Each structure stands twice: as C-alpha cells, then as structure tokens.
Amino acid sequence: MKEFIQFEKKPKLYQTSTKKFWDDPYISKGMLKAHLNPEVDAATRKEKFVEESVQWIRKQIPPATYPTLLDLGCGPGIYAELLSRNGYQVTGFDLSKRSIDYAKASAKEKKLDILYVEGNYVSDDFGRDYDLITMIYCDFGVLSNENRKILLKKVYQGLKSGGCFLFDVFTLEKYRGQEEYKEWSIEAQGFWREEASLILKSFYRYEAENTFLEQYIIINENETVCYNIWEHVFTLEEIKQDLKEAGFNKIEVYGDVTGKPYIDNGQTICLIAKK
Ligand SMILES: C[S@@+](CC[C@H](N)C(=O)[O-])C[C@H]1O[C@@H](n2cnc3c(N)ncnc32)[C@H](O)[C@@H]1O
C-alpha cells in the first residue's frame, strides 16, 4: 500500500506511466464510449466539428488529387468513415485494439472500403506513398520531444512527393493562467477502474519546456498505478521549425481543422505541410 510514496515528487519531464493507458482493456471501454458520444469534445470532437472539418479537408486537399489517405490515431473510425464517404481511399491506424475492432465491424456493416491497422505510429511501420496523412485532435503534442521528431520523419517518408500532412496542435493559450494543483476523489466504479479506487490527480507545469502533465495515481486493493498524460504546446514558430527540420518546405497555417483563420491568441493551430 505504501507504493504511492514513490509519486511524492514532481516527475521528471516525460517520465512514463507505470501501465498502458490507451490500450488498457478497462479504460478503453470508457474511451470508446467517449469517442462515440457526438455531443462532447472528449476523445473525438463534437459531431458538428468533425463534419465541418471533413468538408473543409475535402475542399482544401481534394480526393481527386490526393486519393490515398492515412489517418493516424483514427480511434473507432469517426473521421475515417466520413473521409471514405467523401471519396478518399482511407487507411486508419491506431494503437487501441478495442477501437480498431469497433472500426472494422462498423465499416463492414456500412459497406465502407476502409483498411484498419492496429499499431503504434511511433514504433511500427504504417506504410508509404500516401497522398495525405492526417493526425487530428492535437495528438502530436502528447508525444515526447524525441517521439515527435521520429514521427515527423516517418510521416515525411510516408508521403508521396507533393503529398500533405494535416494536423493540429494546442498553443500556449491552453494552459495560460492554470496553476499547479493536487486533488483527490473516490470512485466506486469509474473511468479508471472497475473496482473502488482512490484517485489522486496532479497538474504540473514545465514552464521552460512549454509542457504540462496531468498525473493520475489510482490506488485500490490490488494495485497502485500512475498514468502520466503529457502535453507539449506550441508557438507557431516552433511547429514551423519542426516541420522544416523534417523536410517540409511549404506550410499553410489555420486556426483549427475546420479552416478558421489563424489568430495569435487562439487555442489551436492547424497545419498543412507539403512534401
Ligand atoms: C484523442 S484520440 C483522437 C482520435 C481521432 N483522431 C479523433 O479525433 O476522433 C487519440 C487516438 O490516438 C490513439 N493513439 C495514441 N497513441 C498512439 C500511438 N502511439 N500509435 C497509434 N495510435 C495512438 C489512441 O488510441 C486514440 O484512438
């Protein structure tokens, strides 16, 4: 029971969780439910936003010119299905077995020709020769400095010449004014565990690195587990520089994935980087 003592101090930057998060058999059930709720910005953004964003993508990067599309972190296929209905040949790639299984069954039922692959986009091969690669809902910033570099390189290699990478990131506005805190709750049966658990939540700032941590320590009769959910936020200069270092030379900038104009104090930036 005294295991929790090891979490007394502020973690080192990018210290890993003690257990898998996205692919946990119990957590992934709640996660899938969150993805499929069209009315909240949870694991997927609200339905209206998703629809607007697919219409914008279709106009901006049309399937007639960019037919093959890889959606990284596709979840249960909410974007993938809409993109497929709008004329793209879609491959969906995700770490979560539960999401991929759901996405496959849903595509089969709706008679949509989508290829779904279960894998880790940092460490596994996701193929080459795509016209368009998407990574939506700011998943890029969740990766460590090292993994972001690896991923950008892989995305660049995965595109045809002239192909595009479309993704979004959070800006410094997201956590502006949010002070560090610690709080606790007791859940009889909740998002984290089926059994009664004590949840210790901490929020930490890593100011110099523009990086933030939401840490959840779950304590119950069986285990003490720590989930570290990291988030790096970006200035426009930083993300443009990262893209240039990966080899991208033409970069378009928007405020979000529905094509709103970029503004200095917006919470998100959407980028279309061309190989
Ligand atoms: C916030 S959700 C966004 C899902 C989707 N892009 C959307 O907007 O509906 C993040 C997704 O990325 C997946 N994911 C997280 N890390 C991953 C990794 N290293 N490789 C592949 N998929 C990953 C998760 O399983 C989850 O489905």
Side-chain angles (χ1 to χ4, degrees):
M1 192 64 178
K2 280 194 286 182
E3 284 165 61
F4 62 83
I5 286 297
Q6 64 181 298
F7 303 113
E8 181 202 4
K9 293 201 176 77
K10 184 169 179 170
K12 284 196 192 122
L13 192 67
Y14 292 123
Q15 194 168 308
T16 51
S17 304
T18 59
K19 219 173 187 177
K20 284 183 193 171
F21 170 67
W22 287 106
D23 214 13
D24 177 273
Y26 179 75
I27 296 173
S28 66
K29 263 194 225 169
M31 196 61 80
L32 179 58
K33 218 166 141 193
H35 271 297
L36 299 176
N37 184 342
E39 270 143 43
V40 289
D41 282 332
T44 299
R45 287 197 178 99
K46 289 179 192 157
E47 189 173 31
K48 188 170 169 287
F49 183 96
V50 175
E51 279 167 5
E52 271 180 46
S53 89
V54 170
Q55 288 316 312
W56 177 68
I57 293 169
R58 193 172 64 105
K59 280 197 200 112
Q60 215 64 25
I61 316 168
T65 321
Y66 300 87
T68 55
L69 184 156
L70 169 69
D71 187 25
L72 294 175
C74 63
I78 295 179
Y79 273 92
E81 290 191 357
L82 270 179
L83 290 162
S84 168
R85 287 188 198 283
N86 277 275
Y88 295 96
Q89 293 160 40
V90 181
T91 301
F93 195 93
D94 201 285
L95 191 62
S96 163
K97 177 170 165 35
R98 191 180 297 280
S99 282
I100 288 291
D101 286 349
Y102 178 95
K104 281 182 180 166
S106 175
K108 193 171 170 199
E109 192 191 317
K110 294 169 186 160
K111 298 192 173 28
L112 293 170
D113 185 17
I114 303 172
L115 175 68
Y116 285 109
V117 182
E118 188 188 322
N120 183 327
Y121 46 54
V122 177
S123 51
D124 296 327
D125 183 15
F126 50 64
R128 280 178 182 245
D129 286 337
Y130 295 102
D131 296 297
L132 172 58
I133 298 182
T134 53
M135 188 179 194
I136 297 175
Y137 210 175
C138 303
D139 293 341
F140 184 65
V142 173
L143 302 173
S144 67
N145 298 346
E146 192 191 347
N147 285 345
R148 290 199 306 276
K149 280 205 168 74
I150 293 173
L151 184 84
L152 276 189
K153 224 179 194 176
K154 287 182 69 184
V155 166
Y156 188 81
Q157 286 165 354
L159 286 168
K160 280 181 192 159
S161 174
C164 292
F165 178 40
L166 180 151
F167 68 113
D168 54 349
V169 294
F170 283 117
T171 67
L172 271 61
E173 295 306 317
K174 182 168 182 194
Y175 295 107
R176 192 177 297 289
Q178 172 68 68
E179 287 176 15
E180 292 191 339
Y181 63 82
K182 287 177 186 282
E183 61 184 33
W184 62 271
S185 60
I186 297 170
E187 289 183 357
Q189 184 192 24
F191 175 80
W192 295 99
R193 285 296 181 270
E194 200 158 13
E195 57 270 56
S197 300
L198 170 65
I199 318 290
L200 308 178
K201 179 179 176 190
S202 303
F203 173 76
Y204 294 108
R205 302 181 69 94
Y206 297 74
E207 213 69 59
E209 291 85 8
N210 286 344
T211 300
F212 302 86
L213 171 65
E214 272 187 14
Q215 181 186 62
Y216 296 85
I217 297 162
I218 318 298
I219 303 170
N220 58 39
E221 271 186 320
N222 307 317
E223 56 184 356
T224 296
V225 178
C226 168
Y227 295 103
N228 285 336
I229 302 177
W230 293 96
E231 178 132 52
H232 181 76
V233 299
F234 294 82
T235 61
L236 183 56
E237 292 66 38
E238 181 188 1
I239 190 64
K240 276 180 150 179
Q241 186 56 33
D242 289 352
L243 286 165
K244 282 183 188 150
E245 279 169 22
F248 291 98
N249 46 43
K250 195 169 164 250
I251 301 162
E252 289 176 24
V253 176
Y254 300 90
D256 68 17
V257 187
T258 67
K260 294 223 166 59
Y262 168 81
I263 49 168
D264 275 343
N265 57 354
Q267 275 223 3
T268 56
I269 310 174
C270 169
L271 299 115
I272 302 180
K274 203 166 193 176
K275 179 166 173 178

